[in-house]
Amino acid sequence: MSRRRRATKRKIEPDQKYNSVVLTKFINRVMLDGKKSLAIKIVYGALDEFSKKVQAEDALMAFEQAMENAMPTLEVKSRRIGGATYQVPIEISPERRQSMAMKWIITNARQKAGRNMIDGLAMELSDCFNNQGSTIKKKDDTHRMAEANKAFAHYKW
């Protein structure tokens, strides 16, 4: 981590099918070993299947709603004060909220046993759209942890 200045944010081009920067970031998260064309096939296939499952005419709007449902608002950070370590609840920046939601969705889609990635991703997105599933449970656990430690909120800086 540089001590001189903050790292500059790279400009990400929107994807070719839906013209969405968020979807491009999602595709880049799904990508393994630099195989972007395979990641694009996986994400677009999963979006088509997901929009059929939730009967949405606009797959991008349904995807954004599923992402919004999966995004946490609070998290806990460890702060060491006087020999004791406290779990201090803090609000999350919008970029980090989006990043955490993407990471959780993709991780839980990969963990679906006996399914290919397209089916697993479509199932996980539909679960997030309906406010259920393992990604939503992870978000609720994060919020519950922050709520339980709100007595230490005065330690945040």
Side-chain angles (χ1 to χ4, degrees):
M1 190 169 178
S2 175
R3 291 176 181 251
R4 287 183 187 260
R5 60 185 169 269
R6 271 189 125 60
T8 57
K9 290 276 186 190
R10 293 184 182 152
K11 187 178 184 309
I12 296 177
E13 298 295 323
D15 71 304
Q16 61 262 34
K17 188 173 180 181
Y18 293 102
N19 202 26
S20 169
V21 175
V22 176
L23 198 56
T24 301
K25 288 180 183 180
F26 193 77
I27 289 169
N28 289 341
R29 278 292 189 126
V30 169
M31 178 173 53
L32 292 175
D33 299 327
K35 298 187 177 187
K36 191 161 190 167
S37 59
L38 180 60
I40 289 171
K41 286 179 191 173
I42 289 169
V43 171
Y44 287 162
L47 275 180
D48 292 341
E49 200 171 308
F50 161 62
S51 62
K52 287 176 190 167
K53 275 187 180 182
V54 296
Q55 286 94 28
E57 60 275 352
D58 188 8
L60 185 63
M61 294 296 283
F63 170 75
E64 288 174 354
Q65 180 62 47
M67 282 288 296
E68 188 61 40
N69 290 347
M71 287 186 202
T73 55
L74 294 170
E75 70 176 340
V76 291
K77 286 238 177 172
S78 296
R79 294 274 187 246
R80 188 162 171 84
I81 295 149
T85 304
Y86 299 106
Q87 296 287 322
V88 180
I90 60 167
E91 289 186 21
I92 309 174
S93 69
E95 293 91 20
R96 180 151 167 79
R97 290 180 67 212
Q98 192 179 65
S99 176
M100 289 173 79
M102 285 181 191
K103 181 173 71 173
W104 292 343
I105 289 171
I106 293 166
T107 302
N108 291 323
R110 285 193 177 123
Q111 289 175 349
K112 301 250 186 242
R115 303 251 179 211
N116 62 13
M117 186 60 182
I118 293 174
D119 293 339
L121 196 55
M123 285 175 57
E124 197 58 43
L125 285 171
S126 63
D127 283 348
C128 289
F129 186 79
N130 296 324
N131 273 324
Q132 59 189 18
S134 47
T135 303
I136 301 297
K137 184 181 182 310
K138 177 81 169 158
K139 179 185 101 166
D140 291 341
D141 290 346
T142 305
H143 283 175
R144 199 172 301 115
M145 186 85 125
E147 187 69 27
N149 290 304
K150 71 179 180 183
F152 305 124
H154 63 280
Y155 288 127
K156 94 176 149 185
W157 59 77

